[in-house]
Amino acid sequence: MGEIRNALPEIMGRHRIKQIELAQAGGLRYATVNAFYNGKTERVDFETLSAVLDGLRALTGQQYTVGDLLQYSEVAPEAPEVDTAHLLDGGAGELKAQLRELEADTPDAELDAWTAAFEGQPA
């Protein structure tokens, strides 16, 4: 599942726009701009988005879009946690088992080289 990131703080920072200035330029309440700026809103309606974009255009002279404000990105799955103390105690065999699990697409020869390097041996 992807993630939507609010880029309003970066845009406002780039132009040194204060929240109160954006609220006035867009005809919005300060509290609305503040909540949007700080990511405290779960939903933003079209009217608010339009007013924010109008305010940004009035203050910067630039035509921003919804895509500039709300940026979508893919979220990589979290890597499994590795117990490093157990890994070090288990030696090369445990390291190779963990590497095989984490690096499933890596050829065995490469895993062997990593394991040898862990033990301080030439590959």
Side-chain angles (χ1 to χ4, degrees):
M1 177 188 256
E3 175 180 88
I4 295 179
R5 187 178 70 79
N6 176 4
L8 182 61
E10 288 90 1
I11 294 170
M12 289 177 63
R14 189 176 324 129
H15 295 285
R16 297 180 184 216
I17 297 171
K18 295 180 179 166
Q19 293 178 31
I20 191 69
E21 294 171 330
L22 181 58
Q24 291 170 345
L28 295 163
R29 294 181 320 118
Y30 171 79
T32 301
V33 172
N34 182 269
F36 189 11
Y37 180 92
N38 289 302
K40 302 220 175 179
T41 55
E42 291 186 22
R43 295 180 183 90
V44 180
D45 61 35
F46 291 153
E47 188 177 321
T48 300
L49 285 173
S50 182
V52 167
L53 293 170
D54 289 344
L56 288 172
R57 184 177 60 245
L59 294 169
T60 67
Q62 295 181 17
Q63 186 75 27
Y64 284 100
T65 67
V66 173
D68 295 320
L69 285 178
L70 304 173
Q71 299 172 348
Y72 176 81
S73 64
E74 294 284 333
V75 177
E78 282 192 34
E81 264 189 53
V82 176
D83 180 0
T84 53
H86 177 71
L87 192 67
L88 292 173
D89 290 342
E94 182 62 28
L95 174 65
K96 190 169 182 178
Q98 287 287 327
L99 286 172
R100 182 164 280 119
E101 183 177 326
L102 295 172
E103 302 286 338
D105 297 336
T106 305
D108 279 343
E110 195 169 337
L111 293 178
D112 290 339
W114 291 351
T115 305
F118 173 75
E119 293 182 314
Q121 301 173 3

